[in-house]
Amino acid sequence: MSAKSSRFIELLSSRNHSWVTQLLLLLPSLLLMGIVYLGGLLIFGRYSFDLYENGTLARAWSSHAYRAFLTDPYYWTLIGTTFRIALKVTCWSLLLGYPLAYCIAGLRSPGWRQTLLLITFLPLLVSAVVRSYGWLLLLSRQGFMNWLFIRLGFTDSGFEMMYNETGVVVALVHIFLPFMIFPLLNVLSQSDPYLKAAAHDLGAGKWRTFLTITLPLSARGIASGVQIVFTLCLTAFTTPQLIGGGRVMTLPVFIYQRTLDTNWPMAAVASLFLFAASIAVSLLVNRTAEWLMYRRTVAEGGSR
Amino acid sequence: MRMKAGWSFKWLLYAAAGLICLYLLSPLLMIAVTSISTGSSSKFPPAGLSLEWYQKLSEQTQFLEAFRNSMIASSGATLLALFCGTLAALAIVQYPFPGRGLLRALFMSPMVVPKITLGIAYLILFSRMHIAGGLFALILGEAVIVFPFVLSIIGGALANLSPVHREAAADLGASPVRIFFTVTLPQLRLSLLLAGSISFVFTFDQVETALLILRQGSYTLPIQLFLYMEKWQDPTIAVVSVVLIAFALALFFVIKLVVRSAPGVATLLGERPKKKRLRRPM
């Protein structure tokens, strides 16, 4: 029997009370999502119109915070830093994630496969605070990396890797690399091995097979990986705050600081911007990937 | 037959994978080394090795208390989200009504709202409701964050259930409530377990919301670590971190063991990359 007719039977069996049943089933979620989620966001949105002057908050309907945010060049450098870090982290994650995912997908020994999977999964199970601490130990002035660099003779006094963008990018790539590897592993392990074998039989070398067969086939995985990592990076707070030490100002760090000064209007406006930006990026990546794949299909269809 | 070009490609790939694994493991290894070093600063190379910081950990009661708070908050939020999410999924999947697509979109939307935005929204809302600072507020706030995970996992499982059993039960005269408890719920067991563990792990690590809502005395473990790290950088953090990493590893192997003993979980976990993709905005 089809799902439709079964629902019909269910509707019949509770004919008189069907809307009551639904309402009762939905009531806990409606209360939770309505009060805590929507209520929270609406009150918060309302604060974006208030006035904040000389450390005090005044009730108003003013577009002051919006105007300040969009016209002051300070905020544009802030937005620039946030996007630049997100872009760098996404590129590095793709560059490091792809070979690892490709390697795991191609491994035939289950033991090695599981070991590599564990190494990929493990950082995800460990708190971002703990992982940032690990990077702090590695990157600080007296940390391991500087010890190594001095030993190797790259520098006499050590590099400054903490409290700047380099450190934040290195640590963020570590935090978000698993999110790049998952979707890549998904498409790479699902792709048809016969296609690669066919390319090989036709005389294509490994590199050529990779560039013409494997890479285009994994486009969907790349798109979702890029989308996840980029949006997570835009909104990342813990690592930029801890590794940046307040000196690398990204939007989430800025929002946190404005909240501490009770400058809620500015925090609200910056939050709304961050929200809009992450949605815009997701849509953009999705559309670009769809467009690229569409073009490919058309090109293939045309050449046949 | 392999060609020479094939070999160089393969070894290049293995070398790259090895280096990337080293990169993934290096912070964790560094924490392990620091945790057994002597002296109060986290400097490399360490002056000497000892277990003194592990002994001192027992004096740092705030971490144990924070761990307890984390357990309470995560379990509370997970249970609340499972309760609300299962009922909502049932309403949406089994009882079609106009506007359910819209409702589903609303319920899934916390996934795309930046956590820091939600954190500040909670701070303002809960201060107004005079419950900010405590674990109860955190449970409410985190339940909202993991609600989409629960709704999509349970909703997916419900939609995949064969209606035959429910129809049979209905034909035999069982009431919808009885059908739910005797037929539907047992079939959802694995999905509930999966949704519950994802929610638990996710809420356990929440920084943005907890940092803004909580006050001293109700700090969760990540917050306690975060604040301790901002002030001091002695190996105490490394010791707590090692304990947490060991906890994560133990969890991983327990899950592996469960997967091996129950084939149903294996298929569920086999879909893991798909679950991750749910983070995508709707």
Side-chain angles (χ1 to χ4, degrees), chain A residues 126-133 135-136 162 167-168 171-172 175-176 232-246 248 250-254 256, chain B residues 115-116 205-211 221-227 229-230:
Chain A
V126 180
S127 163
V129 178
V130 170
R131 287 195 274 165
S132 300
Y133 175 67
W135 280 107
L136 198 132
M162 282 277 295
V168 172
L172 275 179
I175 306 274
F176 294 135
L232 283 179
C233 260
L234 281 184
T235 59
F237 165 72
T238 320
T239 307
Q241 170 78 14
L242 287 173
I243 302 288
V248 178
T250 63
L251 274 174
V253 174
F254 169 79
Y256 174 67
Chain B
K115 300 282 172 306
I116 190 95
D205 196 25
Q206 263 303 307
V207 173
E208 286 91 341
T209 38
L211 184 63
L221 196 50
I223 303 306
Q224 189 71 59
L225 282 173
F226 185 97
L227 296 172
M229 227 172 108
E230 282 197 320

Side-chain angles (χ1 to χ4, degrees), chain B residues 6-243:
Chain B
W7 276 99
S8 70
F9 180 90
K10 204 169 166 183
W11 289 111
L12 199 67
L13 181 67
Y14 285 168
L19 283 175
I20 298 162
C21 286
L22 195 68
Y23 168 75
L24 280 170
L25 288 178
S26 57
L28 308 183
L29 293 175
M30 200 60 226
I31 291 171
V33 171
T34 308
S35 75
I36 51 168
S37 68
T38 51
S40 58
S41 76
S42 27
K43 189 181 160 202
F44 196 90
L49 301 179
S50 81
L51 290 175
E52 58 169 319
W53 292 101
Y54 282 88
Q55 284 165 344
K56 281 185 189 158
L57 183 66
S58 52
E59 296 160 25
Q60 305 269 16
T61 50
Q62 79 261 39
F63 290 111
L64 197 67
E65 206 177 299
F67 178 74
R68 204 193 47 141
N69 286 336
S70 274
M71 292 299 273
I72 295 172
S74 293
S75 330
T78 302
L79 288 177
L80 184 61
L82 279 180
F83 174 71
C84 297
T86 308
L87 293 186
L90 212 62
I92 291 174
V93 175
Q94 291 194 351
Y95 300 90
F97 56 90
R100 66 183 175 145
L102 202 68
L103 199 66
R104 194 169 191 282
L106 167 72
F107 285 170
M108 296 301 288
S109 65
M111 226 176 241
V112 291
V113 182
K115 300 282 172 306
I116 190 95
T117 307
L118 275 179
I120 297 167
Y122 292 156
L123 170 71
I124 296 174
L125 177 79
F126 293 142
S127 323
R128 286 201 153 191
M129 288 163 74
H130 302 290
I131 54 169
L135 287 177
F136 177 65
L138 186 64
I139 289 175
L140 288 178
E142 287 189 342
V144 168
I145 293 178
V146 292
F147 188 77
F149 294 109
V150 175
L151 191 69
S152 61
I153 292 174
I154 305 291
L158 270 175
N160 284 332
L161 284 187
S162 153
V164 178
H165 300 109
R166 269 180 282 132
E167 281 161 13
D171 283 348
L172 293 171
S175 68
V177 175
R178 181 140 182 225
I179 295 177
F180 174 73
F181 279 107
T182 54
V183 180
T184 312
L185 200 59
Q187 288 178 319
L188 286 180
R189 240 178 359 209
L190 282 176
S191 310
L192 284 169
L193 191 72
L194 184 70
S197 36
I198 289 181
S199 302
F200 190 87
V201 170
F202 202 83
T203 50
F204 205 86
D205 196 25
Q206 263 303 307
V207 173
E208 286 91 341
T209 38
L211 184 63
L212 287 162
I213 300 176
L214 297 179
R215 276 192 217 109
Q216 190 138 27
S218 58
Y219 287 148
T220 54
L221 196 50
I223 303 306
Q224 189 71 59
L225 282 173
F226 185 97
L227 296 172
Y228 194 91
M229 227 172 108
E230 282 197 320
K231 276 184 219 151
W232 296 283
Q233 286 169 10
D234 65 36
T236 311
I237 301 270
V239 171
V240 179
S241 301
V242 167
V243 173

